[in-house]
Amino acid sequence: MEGVPAIATSFGQLAALAIFASVIFLIITEWLHLTIAALLGALLLVFLNVLTLDEAISYIGRSHATLALFFGVMVMVRAFEPTRIFEYLATQMVLLAKGQGKRLLLGIVALTTPVCAVLPNATTVMLLAPLIPPLAADIGVDYVPLLILMVFVANSAGLLTLVGDPATFIVGDAINMSFLEYLTKLSLGGVVALVTLVFLVPFLFSEIWNRQLDDLSNLPQPEVNHPRMLAFGGVVVALVLIFFVIGESLPVPIPPALVALLGATLCLLLTHQSKIDSIQNVLRDVDWSTLIFFMSIFVLIGGLEKTGVISGASGVLALLLGQNIVLGSILLLLFVGLLSSVVPNIPLVVAMVPLLKEYLVTVGMAPPEVLSAGYTGSFPPETLPLFYAMMFGATLGGNGTLVGASSNIVAAGIAEQHGKAISFQTFLRYGMPLMAMQLTTAGLFVLVRFLLV
């Protein structure tokens, strides 16, 4: 593309905006697989010379931490698959229900929550959701409500830690927030979201809550394989969690992305040495589709940033809100929450982060340095509630509809593979009441915790 005359700014803006809107439309309508839609859009920006190939790659490079974190976690999860530990835990969950529907539902909450606190929510659903339909068939329960509940738990528990949801990590990485800082400031908000969900479970899933389950005597009893590998792998996971917490406070800081890559490498080493699987099989089963989707979205947002679309939108935001952080935070939480119910939250957050940064610079609440790709400093404390509100809105808004979060789409695909489709209307019936209640309680949390102090 070198040597081609610089493209007119107005055309570049129009092209970048039209391509981004078209990709979002294709994702919402499911006319194209989300990865194909995003990759086509990113390539179109390059072919139209809105971005050069070098610029596109540089925008991907800016978000290397997100890509490295999720690649590392995916490898670790896949390395444990031959041990069948997750099948074992799912069966124990059903047995502990002792024939009571309410215990089964609470068991799904109890099983999914800790897993999703350390794994991205979509990865958690990929891991646990395939276990639900066979178990539900054995006990005579419709698996669709169980899958929907698992998705709700995964999306809500994603707020417990910095790495639990792509949206929280993308925003946290953008404001240079450490894992430990997230735990001390925002994890309580995840607890509030989960408590809200548990409160609503008897009402949303009343048919199963009040049901006595079928005889459990014929339930399959999977055994844990390769206990030695599981023990060593457990040590690796424990070390990963410890360094997630303390890594960035060490004399030589170790960010979560690097910790995840190290954990993945150690799990690959264990897999190779124990010969329970081949390295090729583990790497083949990594969710490359999601990683390519992330990269393509970063390029699409780069097109909006380079052509000035984001800067223009930030000017409108500055005109509407001025320096009113309290009003801005609450409106942002509600706006992003509602929008995230119909627009997948990952591209929404990737677009909103630079928009918020530009807005803060425009109204004079942050220095221009925060716009640079390599900025590692702190943001003014009074501006951070805006980013926190965006985290909560994007994550909890994803519970509203079937297309609101990647974990929802994963669960729908798994349901369809087992013979039942989760319709948009079915999900909406469960999701909208929950989303409304969670956005309300999250708004109160942000207001009390950060804005009224």
Side-chain angles (χ1 to χ4, degrees):
M1 292 290 177
E2 293 180 357
V4 178
I7 202 161
T9 303
S10 58
F11 175 77
Q13 289 178 332
L14 185 62
L17 189 57
I19 290 171
F20 181 75
S22 298
V23 168
I24 296 299
F25 176 76
L26 290 172
I27 292 173
I28 292 172
T29 58
E30 298 182 53
W31 287 359
L32 277 182
H33 188 280
L34 75 169
T35 301
I36 297 173
L39 184 57
L40 281 174
L43 290 172
L44 195 55
L45 285 178
V46 176
F47 278 105
L48 291 176
N49 200 34
V50 176
L51 292 174
T52 66
L53 184 58
D54 286 344
E55 286 171 334
I57 292 172
S58 73
Y59 280 113
I60 295 172
R62 286 190 192 182
S63 302
H64 65 277
T66 302
L67 298 171
L69 175 76
F70 290 110
F71 171 77
V73 168
M74 289 172 185
V75 171
M76 284 192 286
V77 169
R78 173 58 182 82
F80 280 100
E81 194 173 288
T83 67
R84 301 193 70 193
I85 180 62
F86 300 107
E87 288 93 329
Y88 175 80
L89 292 175
T91 302
Q92 294 306 307
M93 173 193 73
V94 175
L95 292 174
L96 288 172
K98 296 182 178 179
Q100 296 183 33
K102 65 178 70 175
R103 289 194 175 191
L104 175 63
L105 295 174
L106 294 175
I108 290 175
V109 176
L111 175 65
T112 309
T113 296
V115 177
C116 199
V118 294
L119 299 180
N121 49 13
T123 304
T124 300
V125 174
M126 287 178 201
L127 189 69
L128 299 179
L131 311 177
I132 295 297
L135 286 174
D138 289 331
I139 59 178
V141 172
D142 182 7
Y143 63 76
V144 168
L146 301 183
L147 286 176
I148 292 175
L149 175 60
M150 178 172 284
V151 164
F152 290 160
V153 178
N155 291 341
S156 304
L159 287 167
L160 290 174
T161 69
L162 183 64
V163 300
D165 186 277
T168 58
F169 186 79
I170 290 168
V171 179
D173 185 54
I175 59 175
N176 303 315
M177 173 176 266
S178 70
F179 191 92
L180 185 59
E181 187 182 0
Y182 187 98
L183 287 180
T184 57
K185 288 185 176 180
L186 295 172
S187 289
L188 181 59
V191 174
V192 170
L194 281 169
V195 170
T196 304
L197 171 59
V198 171
F199 173 76
L200 289 176
V201 164
F203 306 99
L204 293 175
F205 303 93
S206 57
E207 185 177 339
I208 297 177
W209 181 270
N210 297 314
R211 182 170 175 179
Q212 192 68 24
L213 305 177
D214 292 348
D215 180 30
L216 306 181
S217 58
N218 296 322
L219 200 66
Q221 298 285 334
E223 294 184 359
V224 174
N225 297 330
H226 312 291
R228 191 175 176 187
M229 160 67 181
L230 187 60
F232 282 117
V235 173
V236 171
V237 171
L239 288 173
V240 166
L241 294 179
I242 290 170
F243 278 96
F244 272 164
V245 175
I246 69 170
E248 290 172 292
S249 60
L250 295 175
V252 179
I254 306 176
L258 186 56
V259 173
L261 287 176
L262 179 59
T265 305
L266 292 175
C267 284
L268 286 175
L269 176 64
L270 288 173
T271 299
H272 177 71
Q273 293 299 112
S274 62
K275 301 189 187 322
I276 66 171
D277 209 339
S278 70
I279 302 302
Q280 289 81 2
N281 285 343
V282 174
L283 294 179
R284 181 196 63 204
D285 292 340
V286 167
D287 185 11
W288 295 107
S289 174
T290 297
L291 293 176
I292 293 171
F293 172 70
F294 275 139
M295 288 187 277
S296 302
I297 288 297
F298 296 143
V299 173
L300 289 167
I301 300 307
L304 295 176
E305 189 175 325
K306 180 191 173 184
T307 57
V309 171
I310 287 176
S311 180
S314 70
V316 175
L317 200 60
L319 191 63
L320 293 173
L321 298 179
Q323 294 189 345
N324 193 332
I325 296 296
V326 175
L327 177 63
S329 298
I330 298 303
L331 288 180
L332 189 65
L333 187 147
L334 296 175
F335 173 73
V336 171
L338 292 173
L339 198 56
S340 183
S341 67
V342 292
V343 176
N345 57 9
I346 294 170
L348 179 61
V349 165
V350 174
M352 288 297 297
V353 165
L355 174 60
L356 265 187
K357 289 182 178 181
E358 288 266 10
Y359 156 70
L360 291 174
V361 172
T362 301
V363 297
M365 298 191 70
E369 289 79 13
V370 303
L371 301 178
S372 63
Y375 181 71
T376 57
S378 300
F379 280 68
E382 64 273 15
T383 67
L384 292 176
L386 288 167
F387 294 96
Y388 302 157
M390 182 167 60
M391 281 184 185
F392 285 103
T395 303
L396 299 177
N399 281 332
T401 72
L402 188 60
V403 298
S406 53
S407 52
N408 307 8
I409 298 168
V410 169
I414 291 169
E416 197 166 353
Q417 289 172 10
H418 288 84
K420 283 187 179 179
I422 301 178
S423 70
F424 192 91
Q425 290 75 18
T426 298
F427 196 99
L428 197 69
R429 190 171 72 248
Y430 292 98
M432 273 299 165
L434 175 64
M435 183 191 77
M437 186 66 78
Q438 284 187 322
L439 288 179
T440 301
T441 54
L444 290 173
F445 170 76
V446 171
L447 190 65
V448 173
R449 175 72 175 81
F450 302 107
L451 299 172
L452 298 182
V453 291

